Amino acid sequence: MKVRLKNVKGAKEKIEASSYIIKDPETYKGKYQTLFSQNNPIHLEIGMGKGDFIIKMAKKYPNINFIGIEMFDSVMVRACEKLENEDIPNLKLIKMDAGNIENVFSKEISCIYLNFSDPWPKKRHAKRRLTSEIFLNKYDNIFKDEKTIIQKTDNRHLFEYSLISFVNHGYKISELSLDLTHDDIENETSEYEEKFIKRGLPIYMAKVYKD
């Protein structure tokens, strides 16, 4: 589970001032490519936290456009601070709740990353999990063509739940790891992931897709 930071003074102002932030995301629904200088695929990270993963990915893959969303000012501001002296034309950020994702995107996303999402362990909160049927239905409406989801988590129960949820929703598994740190699979880490690795915890990963 991600540990949320306490309120950060001036966070809202710093976020709004960042050139990477999309301030009125609903107005770009269905036309996010206009924000980038090329017509490359768009990959979306839901719950980007402090931004380590998506910043690394955007630098590594200049031929892919990346958008990260996060609802908490206290962590989003850290990503904005890291980007103050960066020039990454294929990266944009949105401060928003993932539950509103259908209001912001439409048939334009090629891949979704779910990195260390809140596991919502209590059964009564299962619908809030980002791999629940409710969210998978939302993703169906924002994917462009083939649907690809890559999930990483340190929570075994969430991982088990997610695999069942993916298969029930018609997804096929193309990659699977029960110990990503020690498997020969290309991987960019986040700050949360680095903490789990130092503690010797296994990282679970699944890459799933459907036509």
Side-chain angles (χ1 to χ4, degrees):
M1 178 186 293
K2 292 182 176 181
V3 178
R4 303 301 178 190
L5 298 177
K6 295 181 180 179
N7 289 337
V8 176
K9 187 176 180 180
K12 185 176 180 180
E13 291 75 15
K14 284 186 179 181
I15 292 169
E16 291 180 350
S18 173
S19 61
Y20 289 89
I21 294 291
I22 302 172
K23 296 181 174 62
D24 299 300
E26 294 86 355
T27 63
Y28 294 98
K29 182 178 179 179
K31 49 187 178 182
Y32 272 87
Q33 291 290 10
T34 62
L35 290 173
F36 299 100
S37 59
Q38 22 61 20
N39 195 36
N40 291 330
I42 298 176
H43 288 197
L44 175 70
E45 183 181 11
I46 300 178
M48 52 162 274
K50 299 177 184 177
D52 266 25
F53 173 82
I54 200 164
I55 292 172
K56 289 179 183 177
M57 291 292 283
K59 289 180 176 180
K60 188 173 183 177
Y61 300 102
N63 293 327
I64 297 175
N65 295 324
F66 291 90
I67 298 176
I69 70 172
E70 174 61 53
M71 67 180 291
F72 295 99
D73 286 354
S74 55
V75 283
M76 172 68 90
V77 69
R78 300 308 184 198
C80 293
E81 289 172 345
K82 292 171 185 175
L83 290 166
E84 285 179 359
N85 297 312
E86 296 280 4
D87 181 16
I88 311 175
N90 60 324
L91 175 63
K92 295 293 181 183
L93 311 177
I94 304 174
K95 184 185 174 299
M96 63 170 288
D97 186 326
N100 299 322
I101 201 166
E102 291 172 292
N103 299 328
V104 174
F105 300 101
S106 177
K107 305 297 182 184
E108 52 200 324
I109 303 301
S110 297
C111 179
I112 290 176
Y113 302 100
L114 303 175
N115 293 321
F116 304 94
S117 310
D118 193 326
W120 294 104
K122 295 181 180 179
K123 286 186 178 180
R124 68 175 184 270
H125 293 151
K127 292 180 179 179
R128 300 184 185 183
R129 296 170 189 163
L130 294 182
T131 51
S132 69
E133 182 180 7
I134 289 175
F135 275 96
L136 293 181
N137 283 330
K138 292 178 184 291
Y139 304 155
D140 283 345
N141 294 323
I142 71 170
F143 274 123
K144 184 177 181 180
D145 297 310
E146 183 181 290
K147 305 165 179 66
T148 300
I149 298 175
I150 302 174
Q151 180 193 31
K152 291 194 291 184
T153 181
D154 65 308
N155 189 290
R156 182 173 65 86
H157 296 296
L158 174 63
F159 192 63
E160 292 169 350
Y161 168 90
S162 299
L163 291 178
I164 294 170
S165 186
F166 289 143
V167 171
N168 286 343
H169 205 72
Y171 281 90
K172 297 177 182 178
I173 299 171
S174 62
E175 287 188 77
L176 186 69
S177 175
L178 302 180
D179 189 2
L180 183 59
T181 307
H182 298 103
D183 283 346
D184 187 20
I185 297 175
E186 187 176 0
N187 179 46
E188 292 296 337
T189 59
S190 67
E191 287 188 358
Y192 293 105
E193 188 169 354
E194 293 289 348
K195 290 179 181 179
F196 297 138
I197 291 171
K198 288 179 181 178
R199 291 166 57 188
L201 298 175
I203 305 300
Y204 306 99
M205 186 280 292
K207 181 177 182 179
V208 299
Y209 72 96
K210 68 172 179 175
D211 299 329

